[in-house]
Amino acid sequence: MPSFQEFGSEDTAMKNAIIIHPGSLYIRIGRASDINPVTLLHAVATKRYTGGASHVDSLLPQVVLKNKDDLKEIEESRLQVSRFLQSQNQSSGRRRYVTPPQQIAAFNRRVSGQVLNASGGEWYQTDDTVVIGDEILNLDPQSDYNVHFPIRRGELNLHKGIGGSLMSVLENLTTIWSYIIRFHLGIDAKDFKDFKCVLVIPDVFNRSHARELMNLLLRSMKFGSCFLLQDHVAATFGAGLSYACVVDVGHEKTSISCVEDGISLPNTRVKMGYGGADITQTFHWLLQKCAFPYSECDPTKLRLDAYLMQKLKHDFCHVHLDVCGCYEKTFVIRQPKKSVQRYTIQVGDECIIAVLSVFHPELLGITGPKSVTTQTRTQSHFEDPLDAEYLRETSRRGTKESLEGMTGETLPDSGSLTTQITGEDDLAVETIAEGCSQQTTSTSEFLNAENNHPVGLDVAIVRCIERYGNEEQRRKFYSSILVIGGGIKFPGITEFLENKLSKLISPPHQTEMVEVIMSSKEIDSENTAWKGAAIMATLESAQELWIQAQEWEKYGVKLLREKSVFIW
């Protein structure tokens, strides 16, 4: 039986470990002992000097329609989804019926706001030079504050404007994280040295950015120790799964990979540049086609309008095919220096079409072209001369010399050797390459050949799983598809995704094995990765992962290759 002292030491370890999971919209920070993390808007507003340059990041991506051809393509995609819905049956077996948008628009044009209160209050007033978190929503858009979201599309938000340099972004991260830890967790900056920190990073990560984040935690914020953990690996810990195909649909990006025994398999990783924010803008566009009565709504420029559209999306949208026709919905607009008004409008299949845009990414073209990113090799770093790139080159050279010895012939230089010796028949060399470097997964199979848009979410999941192992190994991933993030947390999405995947998978006997898990162990899908990192931080087997501040000063980035739970 464990002693009371052992229980006490474990409790102390949980309280001394801080888990940080940064996202494009929200930041989640808390002690490992906390049930749920502190969740705040991941943004900072700084006072602008008189005559200084202005920069304001928006909550939602910009609407980009360059020409009529773009709008035509989006409209054709909308009609395609609408026809698909018309062809579906309800659970009773009856054919679904769809109310034309023109009929709904005729009703909405007659709608006017009902005044509930003469005033919605005042804008947030402050003399602070820095404003952090949710209070930014209530800052007057005309105020002299620059607003920065340090992370965009799952990466550091580097740009050419003011505050867009790497140093500025890291400084903003330090400001936000230190503020939350101090005022929400009650830990002063001078005491950070007594705490450990786990930072959850994206599954498809940038090595140079990961190195800078380690510097931020151990040198700038001065934590006693820390380690990095990929979000998909953390999610499997949070869900209590030993293997899963993890699908993370966040605010601005969607990432997929297969995780087995705590390792994210490099060849299955992909990140696509669309998420819940793009769905929100698409939903607003669909509502406008139905004469949305709040015509002044501008979610791109006005933060409270963006927040309103996010709320309407979560309240209205679903994937229940039994719900059809038109139905009435009510919402209230509260904004400073304006009257509080209530609107009752009609909506139809727009609430389903917006969600289904992740399966038809052409609809998401309303916010511009979407990128597809896979894990790639990056340049070596001078602090780590024996990194994966070095091992890859030396293993290639060693293989070449061995083959020359066997054949007596001179083989081509190592620059062209990869295609010669990493074929399907040379499994040993292929295994070495995959184990020692971050392999480049071709992005072409995740792009639609006809229009160069990313493939739909269901197709991307299948293609990620099909890249791994044999049929038996792939079968187990189909039976454990873990969906995390808040991007598609809509009623009915689990059953709909299972049905879509079942139709894509072959051979037919695999269709019975598809299982999509949304909220495992009653944990909110948005907190699954954070919770998994909290669990891992307290495991006895994870004690070797911690990188001490003194070690980092002495050995630097080499420690990430030696101690990371992922292939560096």
Side-chain angles (χ1 to χ4, degrees), residues 18 107 152 157 187 225 243 252 283 299 312 334 397 412 416 481 491 504 526 554:
I18 295 175
F107 175 90
R152 277 288 191 245
N157 184 19
I187 304 171
S225 59
Y243 58 84
E252 294 186 337
F283 183 50
L312 295 186
R334 292 184 179 88
R397 188 178 302 114
S416 59
I481 298 174
L504 287 174
E526 298 181 55
K554 185 175 181 180

Side-chain angles (χ1 to χ4, degrees), residues 47-68:
K47 200 84 168 182
R48 189 184 310 129
Y49 294 109
T50 304
S54 171
H55 181 87
V56 178
D57 286 329
S58 60
L59 267 74
L60 299 178
Q62 301 287 328
V63 173
V64 180
L65 288 175
K66 294 183 179 180
N67 50 54
K68 292 182 179 180

Side-chain angles (χ1 to χ4, degrees), residues 379-542:
Q379 294 294 323
S380 301
H381 192 263
F382 68 92
E383 292 182 10
D384 188 13
L386 301 181
D387 66 357
E389 186 70 12
Y390 171 83
L391 295 176
R392 183 180 66 85
E393 292 294 333
T394 54
S395 64
R396 181 189 295 174
R397 188 178 302 114
T399 304
K400 175 186 174 183
E401 293 173 354
S402 299
L403 292 176
E404 286 179 351
M406 290 187 293
T407 62
E409 300 177 359
T410 302
L411 294 176
D413 293 336
S414 61
S416 59
L417 188 62
T418 307
T419 56
Q420 304 263 347
I421 64 173
T422 58
E424 295 181 354
D425 295 331
D426 198 339
L427 298 180
V429 177
E430 191 172 21
T431 303
I432 291 173
E434 289 188 2
C436 296
S437 64
Q438 299 178 43
Q439 291 296 101
T440 303
T441 303
S442 173
T443 60
S444 60
E445 61 186 293
F446 296 101
L447 291 171
N448 191 318
E450 296 180 359
N451 51 30
N452 215 35
H453 286 289
V455 296
L457 182 63
D458 52 338
V459 177
I461 293 172
V462 170
R463 291 183 181 175
C464 281
I465 294 177
E466 292 296 321
R467 294 188 65 86
Y468 179 70
N470 55 37
E471 181 180 330
E472 186 62 33
Q473 290 172 315
R474 292 193 290 267
R475 187 196 301 265
K476 69 179 183 181
F477 284 117
Y478 283 121
S479 67
S480 181
I481 298 174
L482 177 64
V483 179
I484 62 173
I488 56 169
K489 197 169 64 173
F490 301 104
I493 190 64
T494 300
E495 297 79 6
F496 187 86
L497 181 56
E498 286 180 351
N499 185 53
K500 292 281 286 185
L501 292 172
S502 296
K503 293 178 179 178
L504 287 174
I505 298 172
S506 60
H509 65 263
Q510 286 187 339
T511 60
E512 300 175 359
M513 301 295 295
V514 176
E515 182 178 359
V516 175
I517 306 165
M518 179 67 76
S519 53
S520 178
K521 294 187 174 181
E522 299 182 354
I523 299 174
D524 191 311
S525 60
E526 298 181 55
N527 293 336
T528 304
W530 182 90
K531 195 66 177 179
I535 293 171
M536 190 166 180
T538 59
L539 295 178
E540 184 177 350
S541 57

